[in-house]
Amino acid sequence: MITRIRGYALPSGEYADLYADGDRWTTDPVPGATLVGEGWLVPGLVDAHTHPGAAAPGQPMDAELLREQLHQHVDAGVTLIRSPGLPGEPPPWFGEDPDVPRARHAGPWLAQHGQFFDGWGRRAAHDELPALAAAQAARTGWAKVIADWRVGDSAVPVDVLRAVVREVHAAGGRVAVHSQHPEGGAAAVAAGVDSLEHGMCLDSDLLARMAAQGTALTPTLSVITASLGRREKEPDSPARTWYLSGARVHGALTAAAAEAGVRVLAGTDSLPHGGIVAEIRALRAAGVKPHDALAAASWSAREYLGLGGLEPGAPADAVVYDRDPRAEPDQLADPAAVVLRGRCVRRRG
């Protein structure tokens, strides 16, 4: 079936009539095309921080579960994911089969000895991290470093992260860094990493530098704020104090980042998979403008990851809604159609 969609295409809102010529959009009419959706057209959604393939942290890669979780993403309109860390080497069909989202990934996490989840990732000494990260990025385009972990742990020093960035960029890749403590976030920004994952407890004075050097922020806001109620009921401890101090202001930090010109990416980092709508809602609730919140999960994230939107020659991904999802956010949970690689993979009714 040759797919056709038409309506008001975001981000411009201009009317478009698009046909899927294989896996590329065209405005040239294609004989025999089937109109699968009409209304408001959004470039396929993106979850820029998700770790599919395991039932729980530390568990091994399960290929059957991986496909199931990727289908959950597609059901939500996600046509592209970035996995900054996977529980194991993905199967050849990951990111390629017609029923699963396109994918970018960073392979296994890279962490200091004694940090991160047992069973996941690779531990390395500081002098080993740059070469390991560069080798990983040469294979997949991304490397992921855990800059900090528990309360009281030492963060990866800034000179080590600078060496990681230098070597990865020389290999043609990009660096994502996990940070939820002030020291790790400051080191990551000073090192010029490509994306800061979570960024909880980040000094807001660093936002201008992030914007200037192009460091993106993936705040994983919905999963962090969702844990607040549970953490507030815990007995007092250094870990509780740290979490509450960061999580309570994480929404305000995210909104300030967007206002400062930092590219904000929507990422869920949570189970079950397919929760991108909750992340968009969390961004809006935090004060991110509705247009920018949707951009973080669509055209802005696609651009950041090297894919176009709804223009001729771009990959044929789209989500169709009956009404403008920026003005009516409940639309996001009820897409009329999802198009992935030029095929209508989900259609209401």
Side-chain angles (χ1 to χ4, degrees):
M1 183 179 73
I2 300 170
T3 299
R4 178 188 182 190
I5 58 174
R6 65 188 179 195
Y8 302 100
L10 296 180
S12 69
E14 296 180 359
Y15 193 84
D17 193 349
L18 298 169
Y19 298 78
D21 184 7
D23 186 19
R24 290 291 181 269
W25 291 122
T26 180
T27 54
D28 297 330
V30 178
T34 299
L35 182 65
V36 300
E38 185 171 14
W40 286 82
L41 316 180
V42 176
L45 299 184
V46 181
D47 190 330
H49 188 121
T50 180
H51 309 294
Q59 294 296 307
M61 174 72 78
D62 180 327
E64 183 176 345
L65 179 62
L66 174 64
R67 192 180 289 274
E68 177 184 329
Q69 291 174 337
L70 292 174
H71 286 170
Q72 292 169 355
H73 281 294
V74 174
D75 286 342
V78 171
T79 63
L80 170 64
I81 65 167
R82 183 186 58 152
S83 294
L86 282 171
E89 190 66 27
W93 54 260
F94 177 71
E96 300 294 334
D97 274 11
D99 64 328
V100 300
R102 306 173 197 270
R104 307 284 188 267
H105 76 89
W109 296 262
L110 300 174
Q112 302 179 95
H113 291 290
Q115 298 187 13
F116 201 50
F117 295 112
D118 291 340
W120 272 7
R122 184 171 181 178
R123 310 303 181 275
H126 289 163
D127 61 355
E128 299 173 312
L129 278 173
L132 288 173
Q136 176 61 53
R139 290 191 295 272
T140 64
W142 282 88
K144 170 73 172 292
V145 176
I146 306 298
D148 51 44
W149 195 235
R150 301 179 186 88
V151 174
D153 286 350
S154 297
V156 177
V158 64
D159 62 325
V160 175
L161 288 178
R162 283 195 179 110
V164 167
V165 171
R166 182 173 62 250
E167 294 299 317
V168 168
H169 286 180
R174 291 198 274 182
V175 181
V177 164
H178 163 107
S179 174
Q180 292 185 286
H181 298 273
E183 298 81 6
V189 174
V193 304
D194 297 286
S195 71
L196 183 62
E197 307 303 303
H198 314 299
M200 201 170 78
C201 300
L202 182 70
D203 185 344
S204 60
D205 288 344
L206 297 173
L207 296 176
R209 179 167 180 175
M210 289 177 66
Q213 68 191 22
T215 297
L217 174 65
T218 316
T220 62
L221 185 57
S222 55
V223 68
I224 287 177
T225 55
S227 299
L228 265 173
R230 174 177 59 82
R231 301 302 292 263
E232 287 172 341
K233 296 175 183 176
E234 293 178 352
D236 192 26
S237 68
R240 177 181 181 272
T241 298
W242 152 72
Y243 194 87
L244 296 184
S245 67
R248 283 172 172 164
V249 299
H250 198 48
L253 174 71
T254 300
E259 192 66 26
V262 175
R263 189 190 297 264
V264 174
L265 305 174
T268 57
D269 191 32
S270 63
L271 292 168
H273 289 266
I276 195 63
V277 172
E279 184 66 12
I280 298 170
R281 287 173 173 159
L283 292 171
R284 291 174 59 118
V288 178
K289 296 175 183 177
H291 183 88
D292 296 338
L294 186 54
S298 180
W299 55 88
S300 180
R302 290 177 69 88
E303 178 186 53
Y304 182 77
L305 295 172
L307 294 184
L310 298 174
E311 62 265 354
D317 300 334
V319 189
V320 183
Y321 302 98
D322 293 331
R323 295 180 294 280
D324 186 348
R326 299 168 302 177
E328 300 184 42
D330 288 347
Q331 287 287 302
L332 293 167
D334 187 28
V338 179
V339 178
L340 170 62
R341 297 185 179 88
R343 298 173 58 247
C344 183
V345 293
R346 300 288 186 275
R347 191 176 183 184
R348 190 194 304 131

